Amino acid sequence: MDCGRVRTLVHRYCAGEENWVDSRTIYVGHREPPPGAEAYIPQRHPDNRIVSSKYTFWNFIPKNLFEQFRRIANFYFLIIFLVQLIIDTPTSPVTSGLPLFFVITVTAIKQGYEDWLRHKADNAMNQCPVHFIQHGKLVRKQSRKLRVGDIVMVKEDETFPCDMIFLSSSRGDGTCHVTTASLDGESSHKTHYAVQDTKGFHTEEDIDGLHATIECEQPQPDLYKFVGRINVYSDRNDPVVRPLGSENLLLRGATLKNTEKVFGVAIYTGMETKMALNYQSKSQKRSAVEKSMNVFLIVYLCILISKALINTVLKYVWQSEPFRDEPWYNQKTESERQRNLLLRALTDFLAFMVLFNYIIPVSMYVTVEMQKFLGSYFITWDEEMFDEATGEGPLVNTSDLNEELGQVEYIFTDKTGTLTENNMEFKECCIEGHVYVPHAVCNGQVLPGAAGIDMIDSSPGPGTREREELFFRALCLCHTIQVKDDDDVDGPRKSPDGGKSCVYISSSPDEVALVEGVQRLGFTYLRLKDNYMEILNRENDVERFELLEILSFDSVRRRMSVIVKSATGEIYLFCKGADSSIFPRVIEGKVDQIRARVERNAVEGLRTLCVAYRRLAPEEYDGVCALLQAAKVALQDREKKLAEAYEQIEKDFILLGATAVEDRLQEKAADTIEALQKAGIKVWVLTGDKMETAAATCYACRLFRRGTQLLELTTKRLEEQSLHDVLFELSKTVLRHSGSLTRDNFSGLSADLQDFGLIIDGAALSLVMKPREDGSGGHYRELFLEICRNCSAVLCCRMAPLQKAQIVKLIKLSKEHPITLAIGDGANDVSMILEAHVGIGVIGKEGRQAARNSDYAVPKFKDLRKMLLVHGHFYYVRISELVQYFFYKNVCFIFPQFLYQFFCGFSQQTLYDTAYLTLYNISFTSLPILLYSLMEQHVSIDTLRREPSLYRDIAKNALLRWRVFIYWTLLGVFDALVFFFGAYFMFENTTVTSNGQIFGNWTFGTLVFTVMVFTVTLKLALDTHYWTWVNHFVIWGSLLFYVVFSLLWGGII
């Protein structure tokens, strides 16, 4: 057989050729393709059963135990417990087994209950009825029995039971509206489009007669991406091929709105749906405190091993004399005498390990978990962080990082929607150098005569009037807005034409502002009907344009285009986008005048867009159409091919003009940034906006001040100088003013040093991050970081989403390893939110992807101030005290046991009673420290809010440094010495009571234990600054419980 043929087959079936591994073929209605069309390959797919539970009835115990014993602490205590069972140890296995059993049981009950709730929810979902078409009739069956290829009917307000391709709807234009609140939290209505060739099938019989196959990508979790194509077979064998994208895909979990019914074909079912693939949790983030805690545990483990070794050696030194090794009252048996010395030594070492193992407390992990979980409610209960306007409060998506909020050194914030309101208002437009300003809007009401135009510059000539109207038509046509004649919609926007109410719905507030603005200038966008866009011109005539193609907006191109055909048959390509993406593609128009106006508006902090157009001849349009169709039906690299096609199409433009939209600064954004800087936190703004607009916003929110010297590392400057020269020049500037020493991270606002602000753009950052040919790319990065460290604020503009994450990662992995926080409100901020140590989503107008992927979510940027300076401060101080106190009280607990061995011949005799060993960490001393770590306020909330600089006192893990750790450990050793020798010297001359009863070792041990319990509890009482009735009840109640228990246990009562 030919080797080339073998290689082809191997590649086809093993290496992932397009039609084999990377895509799947679905037969609509399970109908085979016509003979000769293509081979019919039956494919196996999972049923529609959703399984979100982790356990079953049979595997719960083994699987849960396996997961729990993967934790180092639990595994360690299991080993200790097994050692106690296997060898003759001084303490009962109960002393280790009972606390471990308690921790394991409580965790298992909690996880079992949570999983039972998941099972219950799964069953409700899997058994809900679904309508599907079988032999031309509507049949009802349970959701779990649905299969890939079934044709499903969904009615209004029902939830889609699987991921399905939208075939047809009850609406004539083949559209439907859905909400995806349960998927991404967005409650706004999204429009989806039926396949062009099937949208006319409205009855069950029509749909059942459909003969088609769908080729699409294998399941993947991205909710906003889908690539596929449908082959529709008619009487003849040549199929009609149509591209399928995310606009044709209806996702499981989404709800049908404002549409009577839709038909669709199931393509992903059960655990392959995008909703199920998104169940998997984000990568686990660990806090600095948790890392410190693990290091301290290792130190204590070393101390434990050292104690056991010392006692083992001293035991054999002590027993080197025969009368000590074998006293007359404890003769050894013959088998004991003949035992291997090494084996005896190992047994003794393990016995000492068991005796001293309480220095590592199993209950600390449970207490820390409970403190984090219960403490997180203080954020969600905070009424000051509740936003009345939106009805939203703060959310905690993970409680593992509470204390990290008190350690933040760098904040990376988005601009639009985070620092600003994302509430756009059309300010002006510039056409051919002439400026147009619509009449003002006062409190949402348009003033009389709003259709007029205020001309600022000289009146336009007749030629300009044609361009002017073309500009207004471009703004009316170049968008993706949906029109709804209904007020009862999320975020209604009334059109300002007096009587009629018209709601514009769009994922972008900019688009709505532009369409509303141009409406006040005389051109009104009416609707999209039967693929025709209708606009009302100044003469109140309706103009109809056929919508031929939409070249969607993306953050890389930074522009969008539409191709439309006018009633006279002329074909136009209208394009709008950022000036940096439009100007290089313009061949005609008044570029200089418009550029000057754009730059002026940007300096004033307005968001600007440029508008251009190009006429297409019919043959040109045919070429464009073929190019787009080839890219759209590709299953492999569709996005790349579309980007290349867009690049070829969007060129040779005639510039029409530019628009300016204002996005107001959020309430108290400036005060928040000022407070954060006083707290020693460096704030960086990462935005996709142009430099001038972003810089104006930075001045408005006081990130840059009047005295701040701005340093630029931008593409414009790099055109004049090399990157190497610019970086060295900037480095010399900042180091000269800071006395050639890198200034402290927290000296951003010091009065005696010059404040620097750095501005860098995306293109310059790419050059900094790019490795050089000689492999020394890291040198530029280090130089860049050195400059950034000496700047009080940094503005990164023209940033792509991935570059935002790169910046965060660069700072996060720098040699100081600072704690980073990223905050944003849009899908483009998700990558940096996931990259930072702490990610915060703003519940804004750009959907909820950011809030859904974040660790915490807040309604407004101003809430960050209280979250860090108050809640973060308290969380860190409380958990630091909890960890140190736990180690302290366990040193107090176990060190007397170590000292006691010197007085009992290293015989592994326990100092304390078994009940005391077991209950010390579980009952006698656990509740006071838990309540302390939840309620303590060493300074008042008002003081923390008023004095942001107090945040610096706890920076860089200040309360869990080695010096503090050693202090607490030595304090525990000192207290243990006092307990032990205090009791020892008290008993030195008094061994008999007045009634002749002899004091024994248990009396001695109980005395030491009693003094210890009272001391460690009263130590906590002395450290408490903020007393409530709960503290009093728990502290004095714990001591009372111990006294009552001791009396009962000792048999006195």
Side-chain angles (χ1 to χ4, degrees), residues 303-464:
I303 293 171
L304 169 62
I305 294 168
S306 306
K307 279 183 176 181
L309 274 173
I310 291 166
N311 275 265
T312 306
V313 171
L314 288 175
K315 177 175 182 174
Y316 283 91
V317 170
W318 166 263
Q319 292 179 350
S320 58
E321 295 184 30
F323 72 92
R324 288 179 180 166
D325 183 28
E326 245 182 290
W328 60 269
Y329 55 83
N330 190 17
Q331 295 287 322
K332 288 183 180 178
T333 62
E334 194 60 36
S335 61
E336 284 177 331
R337 286 197 187 97
Q338 290 176 359
R339 263 180 93 193
N340 184 286
L341 178 67
L342 199 63
L343 191 63
R344 273 191 293 156
L346 178 64
T347 306
D348 284 328
F349 172 74
L350 290 174
F352 279 119
M353 285 282 287
V354 168
L355 187 65
F356 300 138
N357 88 87
Y358 301 96
I359 197 170
I360 298 176
V362 65
S363 58
M364 182 171 75
Y365 282 94
V366 182
T367 310
V368 167
E369 289 290 331
M370 288 175 70
Q371 191 270 349
K372 288 183 174 184
F373 174 70
L374 296 172
S376 64
Y377 282 101
F378 289 119
I379 287 179
T380 53
W381 290 338
D382 194 328
E383 292 181 0
E384 287 182 29
M385 295 167 72
F386 184 82
D387 185 36
E388 298 285 350
T390 58
E392 300 280 1
L395 299 172
V396 178
N397 295 328
T398 174
S399 58
D400 292 339
L401 302 171
N402 292 345
E403 63 275 14
E404 206 82 324
L405 293 170
Q407 292 294 292
V408 174
E409 295 170 61
Y410 281 82
I411 290 177
F412 300 91
T413 174
D414 178 39
K415 183 182 82 71
T416 307
T418 306
L419 290 177
T420 61
E421 289 184 348
N422 204 12
N423 189 9
M424 310 298 176
E425 184 185 342
F426 184 86
K427 299 302 283 186
E428 67 167 57
C429 58
C430 172
I431 308 168
E432 295 277 298
H434 303 288
V435 179
Y436 299 69
V437 180
H439 281 285
V441 180
C442 181
N443 296 327
Q445 299 298 315
V446 181
L447 300 178
I453 299 173
D454 289 342
M455 294 298 302
I456 292 179
D457 292 348
S458 58
S459 299
T464 307

Side-chain angles (χ1 to χ4, degrees), residues 957-992:
N957 210 7
L959 303 185
L960 285 175
R961 288 183 185 158
W962 285 107
R963 193 172 67 183
V964 184
F965 170 69
I966 291 166
Y967 161 76
W968 279 93
T969 304
L970 292 178
L971 181 65
V973 170
F974 173 76
D975 287 355
L977 287 167
V978 173
F979 306 152
F980 184 84
F981 287 108
Y984 177 77
F985 289 125
M986 276 177 65
F987 272 48
E988 192 174 21
N989 299 316
T990 316
T991 54
V992 182

Side-chain angles (χ1 to χ4, degrees), residues 181 643 752 804 1033:
D752 56 335
K804 292 183 177 185
F1033 176 77

Side-chain angles (χ1 to χ4, degrees), residues 413 415 419 665-666 668-674 677 683 685 694-705 861:
T413 174
K415 183 182 82 71
L419 290 177
L665 209 61
Q666 272 196 24
K668 294 185 180 175
D671 294 340
T672 303
I673 285 182
E674 192 172 20
Q677 287 185 321
V683 183
V685 174
T697 305
C698 288
Y699 274 111
C701 66
R702 294 182 219 153
L703 188 71
F704 294 156
R705 295 159 185 279
F861 180 78

Side-chain angles (χ1 to χ4, degrees), residues 621-635:
Y621 170 67
D622 292 340
V624 164
C625 206
L627 195 63
L628 285 173
Q629 180 68 7
K632 281 180 179 178
V633 297
L635 287 183

Side-chain angles (χ1 to χ4, degrees), residues 414 686-688 799-808 828-829 832:
D414 178 39
L686 312 183
T687 178
M799 288 280 142
L802 202 58
Q803 286 183 310
K804 292 183 177 185
Q806 281 180 332
I807 282 273
V808 176
N828 60 330
D829 302 315
M832 74 167 179

Side-chain angles (χ1 to χ4, degrees), residues 900 903 911 978-993 997-1011:
Y900 186 59
F903 295 86
L911 176 61
V978 173
F979 306 152
F980 184 84
F981 287 108
Y984 177 77
F985 289 125
M986 276 177 65
F987 272 48
E988 192 174 21
N989 299 316
T990 316
T991 54
V992 182
T993 62
Q997 191 176 358
I998 297 172
F999 285 140
N1001 64 316
W1002 297 121
T1003 313
F1004 176 70
T1006 303
L1007 178 61
V1008 172
F1009 190 82
T1010 303
V1011 175

Side-chain angles (χ1 to χ4, degrees), residues 807-1008:
I807 282 273
V808 176
K809 190 174 183 179
L810 182 70
I811 298 298
K812 191 169 96 171
L813 299 179
S814 61
K815 61 185 178 186
E816 296 91 356
H817 295 290
I819 304 298
T820 57
L821 179 148
I823 179 168
D825 72 319
N828 60 330
D829 302 315
V830 168
S831 53
M832 74 167 179
I833 283 171
L834 293 177
E835 184 62 53
H837 291 97
V838 183
I840 297 187
V842 176
I843 306 166
K845 298 183 179 178
E846 289 189 24
R848 295 213 179 181
Q849 296 98 310
R852 200 163 51 91
N853 286 280
S854 63
D855 305 305
Y856 303 88
V858 292
K860 297 281 184 186
F861 180 78
K862 66 173 182 174
D863 298 323
L864 196 60
R865 178 177 182 172
K866 189 171 186 188
M867 184 172 259
L868 297 188
L869 305 188
V870 178
H871 290 294
H873 193 114
F874 281 151
Y875 282 139
Y876 176 73
V877 171
R878 288 165 181 169
I879 203 161
S880 301
E881 288 282 333
L882 184 150
V883 170
Q884 300 284 25
Y885 177 81
F886 246 102
F887 285 124
Y888 158 76
K889 75 186 179 78
N890 280 284
V891 170
C892 290
F893 179 45
I894 219 65
F895 197 69
Q897 180 73 69
F898 173 73
L899 294 171
Y900 186 59
Q901 295 308 301
F902 289 85
F903 295 86
C904 67
F906 305 100
S907 61
Q908 297 140 13
Q909 171 63 41
T910 59
L911 176 61
Y912 310 119
D913 185 84
T914 302
Y916 292 155
L917 283 170
T918 307
L919 297 177
Y920 177 72
N921 276 317
I922 293 178
S923 299
F924 300 146
T925 60
S926 58
L927 271 182
I929 184 59
L930 177 61
L931 261 294
Y932 174 91
S933 65
L934 288 171
M935 314 288 286
E936 174 61 1
Q937 294 181 17
H938 59 297
V939 289
S940 70
I941 292 174
D942 289 336
T943 306
L944 286 177
R945 197 187 276 123
R946 196 171 57 248
E947 299 290 341
S949 56
L950 290 172
Y951 192 84
R952 300 186 188 201
D953 298 341
I954 59 165
K956 295 184 179 294
N957 210 7
L959 303 185
L960 285 175
R961 288 183 185 158
W962 285 107
R963 193 172 67 183
V964 184
F965 170 69
I966 291 166
Y967 161 76
W968 279 93
T969 304
L970 292 178
L971 181 65
V973 170
F974 173 76
D975 287 355
L977 287 167
V978 173
F979 306 152
F980 184 84
F981 287 108
Y984 177 77
F985 289 125
M986 276 177 65
F987 272 48
E988 192 174 21
N989 299 316
T990 316
T991 54
V992 182
T993 62
S994 56
N995 64 358
Q997 191 176 358
I998 297 172
F999 285 140
N1001 64 316
W1002 297 121
T1003 313
F1004 176 70
T1006 303
L1007 178 61
V1008 172

